[in-house]
Amino acid sequence: MTASLPSGDDVYSILAPADASAFDDLFELYRSSMPAAERKSRATLLALLGRNDYRVVLLHRAERLIGYSITFVPENDNFCLLEYMAVREGFRSGGIGAELFRHSVDTARAGRRDVAVLLEVDSWREASPDRAMRVRRQAFYQRLGCLRIEGLDYLLPLETGRTPPVMDLMILPPADGRVIRRAELERWLRTVYVAVYDQSPSDPRIARMVSTVDDPLQLSGVIPR
């Protein structure tokens, strides 16, 4: 299959809360592109649209939805979480995903150089049938400037009735080049647990995660070939 390249006909937009038809298209692509253990319910996803701290970017070509991203952007903070991003099958491997990532980051940062972008990514460090896919996914984000936070086994607090996959946390460092301290990461994780996953701010998994990372954070680009 020939890879689909970015086109001058590609149109980006922000999903409006009242656009039911666009949400239906989004949810169809979301269900087909995300593993069940990492998906939120339709009702939960719909509720995000009315929140000021979320940006849902849609990518259309010839009026067909071919990609999307969902980013948690806490107000008056210096980080965001790129929670979901996908390109429709048949449009992958041609640069569209990279363009969608850059557009989503620019939308979330809104011109601010101090905003770090976090990404929850399936880990390649444990044996699994889809390990090669996990390696490719992390390599894709690495080519876009993202690095893995060393020493952090990310505990995904999503309650779907299925065992969450083993995860890594990657980061697109802030453009201002500042060093990131462990206490800052802990604050970010607490915000994500509370505002994204409706968990307690004293959830013991937060302390467990940050206890194994260096201060300041060490970032790694090591991915097996």
Side-chain angles (χ1 to χ4, degrees):
M1 180 182 296
T2 303
S4 183
L5 301 174
S7 165
D9 296 328
D10 292 347
V11 177
Y12 291 95
S13 62
I14 300 294
L15 179 57
D19 194 339
S21 176
F23 178 79
D24 288 342
D25 290 344
L26 166 67
F27 192 71
E28 175 270 325
L29 182 53
Y30 174 77
R31 280 180 53 85
S32 66
S33 62
M34 291 296 159
E38 299 176 35
R39 287 199 304 257
K40 295 181 177 180
S41 69
R42 179 186 177 91
T44 300
L45 205 63
L46 184 60
L48 300 181
L49 299 186
R51 290 175 51 168
N52 293 328
D53 54 359
Y54 267 88
R55 306 288 182 273
V56 181
V57 172
L58 304 180
L59 171 58
H60 286 86
R61 178 179 294 180
E63 300 185 357
R64 184 187 185 192
L65 181 67
I66 64 168
Y68 70 90
S69 68
I70 302 174
T71 308
F72 169 62
V73 187
E75 295 180 296
N76 303 315
D77 213 327
N78 62 352
F79 87 101
C80 62
L81 173 69
L82 182 58
E83 196 172 346
Y84 298 105
M85 190 182 83
V87 173
R88 188 180 295 278
E89 189 174 1
F91 292 86
R92 299 169 186 165
S93 302
I96 292 176
E99 290 298 319
L100 175 58
F101 176 83
R102 296 186 186 101
H103 184 90
S104 301
V105 168
D106 289 345
T107 299
R109 282 179 165 172
R112 288 180 53 188
R113 293 177 53 81
D114 65 330
V115 174
V117 182
L118 301 181
L119 304 92
E120 302 162 332
V121 185
D122 293 322
S123 178
W124 51 262
R125 292 177 294 138
E126 288 196 6
S128 65
D130 62 347
R131 185 172 183 270
M133 179 274 292
R134 294 173 179 228
V135 169
R136 289 195 300 272
R137 185 171 295 159
Q138 289 206 18
F140 165 78
Y141 286 119
Q142 182 178 311
R143 290 193 297 272
L144 293 166
C146 302
L147 298 169
R148 180 168 55 84
I149 299 176
E150 280 281 9
L152 179 69
D153 292 322
Y154 186 68
L155 302 174
L156 184 69
L158 186 59
E159 298 173 0
T160 63
R162 297 174 171 85
T163 301
V166 178
M167 305 290 285
D168 289 328
L169 194 66
M170 298 187 76
I171 182 171
L172 180 66
D176 61 8
R178 62 187 170 79
V179 170
I180 301 173
R181 311 295 304 204
R182 181 194 295 148
E184 187 169 30
L185 173 64
E186 183 174 5
R187 180 176 61 78
W188 292 347
L189 292 175
R190 183 170 292 107
T191 301
V192 168
Y193 261 52
V194 172
V196 175
Y197 296 108
D198 197 28
Q199 302 296 309
S200 166
S202 58
D203 191 303
R205 289 173 290 188
I206 299 170
R208 194 186 320 163
M209 285 188 286
V210 299
S211 68
T212 56
V213 301
D214 292 331
D215 188 21
L217 301 188
Q218 299 299 307
L219 307 178
S220 172
V222 177
I223 296 176
R225 295 184 180 276

